[in-house]
Amino acid sequence: MEPARKRAPAGAAVLRPDVTGAIRDAVFAELAAAGYGRLSIEAVARRAGVGKMAVYRRWGSKLAMVIDLVGSVAVDLSALPDTGSLRGDLETFLRLAARALRHPLANQIVPDLLAEAARTPEIAQTLQAALRTHQREAGALLTTRAIARGELPADADPDLLVDLTIGPLYWRLAVVRTALPKGYVKKLVAAVLP
């Protein structure tokens, strides 16, 4: 008698990128349409054309899913070239951030998540941790380059650099939702550098 062979999983254990992409698109569409409070795993799965378990295989909860996906579209620091100067690096960073904040989905989703964070401590903590991690990475990259070029002292505060630059941009685009005047990024960087 031959020993029984185990059958290889038929895709159940494999996270297909096309399914993950469909779920990602569905999450953003649902966030924009319904907001975080009314977002459900069921609605995401239905919109993506998958079963709920396909979503749960990737994320254990609605909050984990939203934080992971929203965080994944933050400014990609690998796209931030070394321009050769702190001024150039900051201008490039702010232009990338402005483009991300002006994206139609970000325009709808970010204010809603911040409102939810004000009501839900778990969301506030998770969102704050994700944002602080991203801020620290950006600040570390920008200051490390500037210190190596002799543009900043060795004890320059990376968090303060990012706070001073991204804060006003975020205020204009995400909070008061006004267009940036022509030359705003250059003026903002010029004001921060001294």
Side-chain angles (χ1 to χ4, degrees), residues 10 13 30 33 38 52 58 62 65 68 73 102 111 114 134 141 143 146 151 156 162 171 191 194:
E30 282 294 315
R38 294 192 337 237
K52 286 191 310 186
R58 288 157 176 83
K62 175 173 95 167
M65 175 181 68
D68 181 43
V73 296
R102 282 191 291 237
L114 291 175
H134 184 265
L141 177 65
T143 54
E151 296 173 294
V162 175
W171 174 260

Side-chain angles (χ1 to χ4, degrees), residues 105-181:
L105 284 177
N107 242 335
Q108 293 173 304
I109 293 168
V110 170
D112 180 62
L113 282 178
L114 291 175
E116 282 297 327
R119 292 186 287 266
T120 312
E122 185 184 16
I123 294 173
Q125 291 168 351
T126 306
L127 195 56
Q128 181 182 21
L131 291 173
R132 291 306 276 174
T133 298
H134 184 265
Q135 178 185 358
R136 285 198 174 97
E137 289 171 359
L141 177 65
L142 293 166
T143 54
T144 299
R145 287 178 181 173
I147 290 167
R149 292 188 294 249
E151 296 173 294
L152 288 177
D155 64 346
D157 184 345
D159 287 341
L160 183 60
L161 177 67
V162 175
D163 285 348
L164 291 172
T165 54
I166 202 75
L169 182 75
Y170 181 82
W171 174 260
R172 276 188 168 269
L173 294 176
V175 179
V176 294
R177 298 171 154 237
T178 59
L180 297 181

Side-chain angles (χ1 to χ4, degrees), residues 5 12 16 21 24 35-37 39 46 75 77 88 127 134 139 147 149 155 159-160 173 178 181 183 192-193:
R5 287 186 171 175
R16 292 179 24 207
R24 177 188 174 277
Y36 180 84
L39 178 85
R46 190 171 39 256
V75 175
L77 296 177
L127 195 56
H134 184 265
I147 290 167
R149 292 188 294 249
D155 64 346
D159 287 341
L160 183 60
L173 294 176
T178 59
V192 168
L193 283 180

